[in-house]
Amino acid sequence: MKVLLLIRGAPGAGKTTIAEALIMGHLFDVYHEADKFFQGPTGYKFQPELIPEAHRWCRDKVGESMQAGYSVI
């Protein structure tokens, strides 16, 4: 059975830490977050004007993972 878990919270609240713990515990297969959109070969570069694009990218990644049969955070 595929499961989708959404985690929301303020910056620095521990969302990524929780997601990584659930992955490490083999309860979920993969996690996606909009912040990954801003990670490039030279590091993290946040650009507020690209937030809508980052959210679309994240939504698309979640959809691809779900279509592939993964449980996703």
Side-chain angles (χ1 to χ4, degrees):
M1 173 176 69
K2 293 184 285 191
V3 176
L4 173 62
L5 174 67
L6 301 177
I7 302 174
R8 295 181 62 194
K15 301 176 297 290
T16 299
T17 301
I18 291 169
E20 289 173 347
L22 292 169
I23 297 292
M24 295 297 292
H26 305 287
L27 299 171
F28 286 83
D29 302 307
V30 65
Y31 80 95
H32 297 292
E33 59 186 358
D35 267 353
K36 289 181 182 178
F37 177 85
F38 299 104
Q39 189 69 43
T42 59
Y44 183 81
K45 185 175 183 220
F46 180 68
Q47 296 173 278
E49 68 276 10
L50 296 180
I51 290 173
E53 187 176 341
H55 287 166
R56 278 190 298 277
W57 173 86
C58 187
R59 183 193 63 222
D60 291 347
K61 290 291 186 185
V62 167
E64 291 168 11
S65 293
M66 295 291 292
Q67 291 254 344
Y70 295 116
S71 288
V72 180
I73 302 171

